[in-house]
Amino acid sequence: MVRRDEGFYMVCHMCFYTWLVSRGIPVCPRCGATVPLEVGIFTDKSRRIGLGFCSRCGYTWRVLLDQFMSVPDHAAPLIALGAERFRPAMEKALEKGLEEAG
């Protein structure tokens, strides 16, 4: 997923086709959840890349947040792969949330 001009776009890793998913707020590309407490993006200090997470369906996706990065469109998904480093933090947050709910 890439954020551009107040919109969130998905980018196919195979053909680099890009399509609008939502405007303004992130939306889960799998189940369509829009509630801010259900859909979140984990980032580092730079806030350039992140990992999206939906607590409703458990889906995760990579997000390129810096819309001013000067890279070709086909490189954006590869850069977003760097967000994988946030996956352990997401899994811990999910486990903690399930423990508190249970």
Side-chain angles (χ1 to χ4, degrees):
M1 184 176 280
V2 177
R3 184 179 71 177
R4 287 192 198 133
D5 304 322
E6 301 301 322
F8 288 89
Y9 297 82
M10 292 297 289
V11 180
C12 174
H13 293 140
M14 301 297 287
C15 68
F16 312 115
Y17 177 75
T18 304
W19 66 97
L20 178 67
V21 175
S22 66
R23 294 203 182 274
I25 61 170
V27 173
C28 176
R30 178 183 281 169
C31 74
T34 59
V35 178
L37 295 175
E38 291 180 344
V39 179
I41 297 176
F42 290 83
T43 66
D44 64 353
K45 291 180 194 176
S46 72
R47 299 190 50 85
R48 298 184 87 176
I49 58 174
L51 196 61
F53 177 72
C54 177
S55 63
R56 180 188 289 176
C57 69
Y59 187 63
T60 60
W61 63 97
R62 295 170 296 280
V63 184
L64 185 61
L65 295 166
D66 188 351
Q67 60 186 343
F68 301 108
M69 287 181 81
S70 179
V71 298
D73 283 346
H74 66 274
L78 300 175
I79 293 169
L81 283 172
E84 286 296 321
R85 66 183 172 188
F86 303 113
R87 191 172 301 279
M90 280 192 340
E91 290 171 355
K92 287 180 184 177
L94 178 60
E95 289 173 6
K96 183 178 178 184
L98 292 175
E99 289 172 2
E100 291 175 359

